[in-house]
Amino acid sequence: MKKIFVFLIPVLLLAGCSSSSTWGWYVIDPRTENGWINVKFLLSGMGDTILISVIAAVISIVVGLVVALPALSERRWLRIVNRIYVEFVRAIPLLPMLFWVFYGLPIVFKSMGMNVPIDPFWGAVITLALSDSAFTAEIYRAGIQSIAKGQTEAAQTIGLNYLQTMRYVILPQAIRRILPPLANQFIYIVKMSAFASVIGMQELTRRANELVVTEYRPLEIYSLLVLEYLVLVLIISAGVRWLERKMGADERE
Amino acid sequence: MAQTAIELVGVNKWFGTFHVLKDINLTVGTGEKVVICGPSGSGKSTVVRCINRLEEHQKGQIVVDGTELTNDPQSVAAIRSEVGMVFQQFNLFPHLTVLENLTLGPIKARGMSRTDAKAKAMQYLERVHIPDQANKRPGQLSGGQQQRVAIARSLCMEPKVLLFDEPTSALDPEMISEVLDVMVGLAEEGMTMVVVTHEMGFARKVADNMVFMDAGEIVEQGPPETFFAAPKSDRCRKFLSQILQH
């Protein structure tokens, strides 16, 4: 990934310097006044993209755990509740769910006598978190189930209750197996946050769309857009690798 | 044996349609050492695991230290707090140090202070002869050392009864004696013990009562002298001749 990035920058810069009539890098050339304004405009969506993704990921990580725990229960009906949630939520494509949450959910609230306006920001956060939580739940389930049953039994014999067993024995061990796929999900959220543009959220993709409409330079503008996501994802990847190394060093047997 | 520590009356258990335990009757007095042996699949581990509710029995009565084991979580918690368990696979917590393995239960389940729990843990690590390993992780220890840590972990909860589920079966031969030595020491100090094992030398040395199980039932039980010298049943005689051959 890094190599591609290193390769792309010079290509863009070189192309920007060229005077070929088919390329119009001037629209995002930071050396010109107009280009610099455009670049700043495009980058101004970064904050919301990051904020939406981070909040959605945090909610999804919490909700995912809550959804996953019933799957590990001995009680059948709890496992069924989990299955229904996962299968149902996982089956809905993101875009329709986004429309449903943004346009539909306020009506549901209204019919219950509550006035809960949903703005594009929270519409996007709720949709991403909800959609992702089904996947996070499955990741937790697999991670927790991969810890040997003897660990739970040993915890029980020294008097720990269910929550203590999870908190002190199972989750600390499962987290190492859970973290890499969770990071994948976070990357997925960052990319899917682009859908928020269709309900009017002024994030990266929406900014690019708006600029394309005024500048008629889709190639150059969308190229920069792609790069913006690439940089975000590379930063996340590096962060996760650092975290994994740190935890690995901590727990090496 | 003045008091009864554990009493099993007509205990039955099924795994699906498979009848694993058939009318198990067993009494363990306070301070008594019971050794359960038998071929694999005979249900000996299941008996031990039923005593602290790692497995649920479907029929019959299990009473530990005067408390009957029922579905009531309180009864399960009460009994587990009296009963320690040592597993074949040690089941130490690999992400915690030896010391943390020992203090987790006392601190979290008993609400003991960190300092007291540590002091107690060190005391029991001395008793199993590995105080110098306190800050290592289980994965850095040998199997024998791990099993001794597991014994110390159980002792930290100050149980009245210790259950051992084939404690030496996963060990390399040269490490078996260090674990058995610790167990003999515990036995001499008067701990009530129920031990599932194939270590017949250990059984002869410490057992007050030998139990032979086969196909889910207790076939024979009695004091080790008569048990080893003159087994009454054919099944027991055959089993003993097979494992004592070498």
Side-chain angles (χ1 to χ4, degrees), chain B residues 229-244:
Chain B
K232 282 174 280 198
S233 64
D234 281 344
R235 280 194 278 181
C236 185
R237 196 171 308 128
K238 195 165 160 240
F239 175 76
L240 286 176
S241 75
Q242 276 166 345
I243 62 165
L244 295 175

Side-chain angles (χ1 to χ4, degrees), chain B residues 126-146:
Chain B
E126 303 263 0
R127 176 125 152 222
V128 298
H129 318 301
I130 36 175
D132 46 325
Q133 312 285 353
N135 294 312
K136 288 193 181 164
R137 297 210 187 254
Q140 295 170 294
L141 307 185
S142 72
Q145 289 173 323
Q146 290 191 49

Side-chain angles (χ1 to χ4, degrees), chain A residues 74 149-160 164 168-170 172-173 250-253, chain B residues 49 52 54 80 83 85 87 91-96 101 104-105 108-109 137 139-140 153 157:
Chain A
E74 311 238 307
K149 199 159 170 273
Q151 292 288 308
T152 310
E153 292 180 349
Q156 285 172 340
T157 60
I158 58 162
L160 300 187
Q164 290 170 328
Y168 299 109
V169 177
I170 305 300
Q173 295 182 63
D250 247 21
E251 300 192 2
R252 197 146 297 141
E253 280 159 18
Chain B
R49 289 165 60 82
N52 64 355
L54 292 180
R80 280 186 183 154
V83 178
M85 173 118 176
F87 299 88
N91 294 351
L92 293 174
F93 308 131
H95 60 300
L96 301 177
N101 264 276
L104 185 64
K108 300 303 173 192
R137 297 210 187 254
Q140 295 170 294
R153 179 175 67 181
M157 300 305 288

